[in-house]
Amino acid sequence: MCGIVGYVGAQQATPLLLEGLTRLEHRGYDSAGIALLGGTGIKVAKRAGRVRDLAEGLPKRFAGRIGIGHTRWATHGPANDVNAHPHTDAKGLVAVVHNGIIDNAASLRQRLADEGIDLVSDTDTEVLAHLVALSEESTLEGKVVEALAAVDGTYGLAVVHADFPDRLVVARNGSPLLIGVGEREMYVASDLAAIVRHTTTVAHLGDGEIATVTAGGFTTYGGDLRPVTRTAETVDVDPAAYETGEHESFMHKEMLEQPAAAARVLSGRLDERFGTAHLGGLNMDARETRAIRRVKILGCGSAYYVGQMGAALVEELARIPADAEAASEFRYRDPVIEADTLYVAVSQSGETIDTLLAVQEIRRKGGRVVGLVNVVGSAIARECDGGIYLHAGPEVAVASTKALTNMFLGFALLALQLGRVRDLSIADGRRLIHGLDRIPEQIQEILDRESEIAAVAEQLAAAESLFFIGRVRGFPVAREGAQKFKEISYRHAEAYQTSELKHGPLALVSEVVPTVAIVPDDELTDRNVGALHEIAARRGPLVVITHADVDLGEVECVRIDVPRNERELDPVLLVVPLQLLAFHAALQLGHDIDKPRNLAKSVTVE
Ligand code: F6R
């Protein structure tokens, strides 16, 4: 959420900053700006809109070899030119870009106003520029530390100062910040995506640390300005993963990458001989694993819904009571943390602040947390006691797809391992392993029917309002289907348990309110089909995601059959047509698929 990029070296900074911002745009896209530090001091260009609007509006001579850039997702104040970052002090000596939220911004604004300083924007960030400018410390590092001492909140930030023309200073507390090492040039970024074409050798700043970055290198310090060592490491990443290639959008590309991504998360982790999974990264021996009495899964948004699917897997396979909870609510209800509960944090980005804070709360109270995380070395991955990396590859589209598939498979591996040190038989373990082995090709089978599903989506796109319904295993699938649909099509899509429909929402069903029903071939099929009749009797149009040979009776509907696997694994296949439905409905409606309205990738603010 929000993106930062910075450059210091021998090249002109503007094209590098604009390119970096374009690659960060999925993290915020309501306004953008850059500040350059040149021979004549600091120059700033910023405006509401996309990075391309910024680029088109840049002054002719906008040169400098040190600069910082930002793409914004508004928190304080609307998306307009003034609120766009970078922010400067009154004299224009200091420019700051910032991700995160300054919680005490209101009192700091008042303090600055009392000192006669005019604040021009509505943002929390602007106070930082003034505080740095007011500091009487002799070094830029000292000024930044003094300014930050007054601040409560989260930040990843980059600062330039006209009196220190050879450097950028960056700082981090809760929002990621990395330093990229080039040949006599250096980069800073909130996300590797911004700089991946120029360097993959990076050092991650820790929370509470700051760094000086010059063309010749970088130095890292703790908050007290005592040097700390941070070594740059080369990351194994293919820059093409950050390009759309032949696809019209990242979401499309990432949906189609699912078979390969699914194969990666399973690779080397299935043990056919013992009918189990090997997850060394959990850092738990068999005795500790057997001592677990409860599993509590925490995630946000779609990760929470997959967490619900994961809880069902853990209960079914390991027979351990399990549930999932929205991480954003968890710590506010002062939860009881139990020593024999295994807490599982699930996150694609590994940065979602609500999930991170939940992890910290659990660990503060002595609980054990493992992570199911996609981004290696991310804050949540580092905060956990152990975990499973999802190996989905970089996910750029705001609407998550391949990471969610791999989260489900990660839960299946976890449930298998937990189950096999308890009552799950070797035969059942092997049955699931064979099922998991088939998942990548079965996802491919569904993706191969994209044009058929696209035709259904075009009908759904016409509806202002839709229901997504399912029961038990199918309910989190319905929730994820509704989430994806509303997120990118902006249609009102509501998920309900099929069994609850008749207790109220059936009142809304009519010929203009379609229902997408999840009806797998399982112990609830007959009851699900009964509900379809009730909807059809009220002239509600129906799309049914089901298995071949499931008898839907005389119900008038469009059916989409998914391949059969083991029942426990059904959700991961049932959800794929829902991704395609959402994608093609949004395409039909002409929306910007990768940059849905009001949203951004990686929610790093509470
Ligand atoms: C939906 C979506 C969001 C994320 C949620 C958690 O498509 O992407 O609901 O699932 O913001 O994000 P992570 O997984 O990064 O913690």
Side-chain angles (χ1 to χ4, degrees), residues 589-605:
L589 292 164
H591 298 320
D592 186 342
I593 306 261
D594 286 337
K595 299 188 182 66
R597 188 169 76 193
N598 301 339
L599 303 178
K601 193 80 174 163
S602 305
V603 185
T604 53
V605 294

Side-chain angles (χ1 to χ4, degrees), residues 300-303 346-350 352 355 398-400 404 407 483-484 487 601-603:
C300 292
S302 292
V346 57
S347 174
Q348 186 289 124
S349 61
T352 302
T355 311
V398 169
S400 183
L404 302 176
M407 283 174 191
Q483 160 99 338
K484 209 97 298 163
E487 198 174 8
K601 193 80 174 163
S602 305
V603 185

Side-chain angles (χ1 to χ4, degrees), residues 191-207:
D191 186 321
L192 182 61
I195 58 174
V196 71
R197 282 215 333 161
H198 306 289
T199 180
T200 50
T201 303
V202 295
H204 289 265
L205 217 54
D207 271 341

Side-chain angles (χ1 to χ4, degrees), residues 131-132 134-149 164 167 169 210 212 221-225:
L131 290 172
V132 172
L134 285 174
S135 168
E136 290 182 355
E137 289 291 326
S138 57
T139 62
L140 180 53
E141 294 74 10
K143 290 176 188 295
V144 171
V145 166
E146 188 181 331
L148 290 176
F164 304 88
R167 65 193 54 205
V169 168
I210 80 160
T212 309
Y221 312 90
D224 53 4
L225 282 182

Side-chain angles (χ1 to χ4, degrees), residues 464-549:
E464 293 286 342
S465 192
L466 304 89
F467 279 113
F468 284 73
I469 58 169
R471 291 193 72 163
V472 188
R473 279 186 216 111
F475 179 53
V477 173
R479 293 189 89 180
E480 171 52 13
Q483 160 99 338
K484 209 97 298 163
F485 207 90
K486 72 182 89 163
E487 198 174 8
I488 56 174
S489 78
Y490 317 147
R491 295 306 199 195
H492 171 238
E494 193 169 342
Y496 245 93
Q497 289 101 332
T498 310
S499 52
E500 284 288 301
L501 215 55
K502 59 186 175 299
H503 295 293
L506 199 58
L508 293 176
V509 166
S510 74
E511 61 272 31
V512 293
V513 180
T515 298
V516 179
I518 313 302
V519 185
D521 184 3
D522 62 12
E523 54 286 353
L524 288 165
T525 310
D526 291 346
R527 294 198 186 285
N528 275 322
V529 172
L532 299 184
H533 281 288
E534 289 159 15
I535 294 165
R538 284 147 187 93
R539 299 196 307 281
L542 275 163
V543 173
V544 184
I545 316 293
T546 184
H547 290 119
D549 305 332

Side-chain angles (χ1 to χ4, degrees), residues 375-392:
V375 177
V376 176
S378 55
I380 294 172
R382 282 187 286 158
E383 194 75 36
C384 287
D385 297 292
I388 305 171
Y389 276 125
L390 299 172
H391 301 305

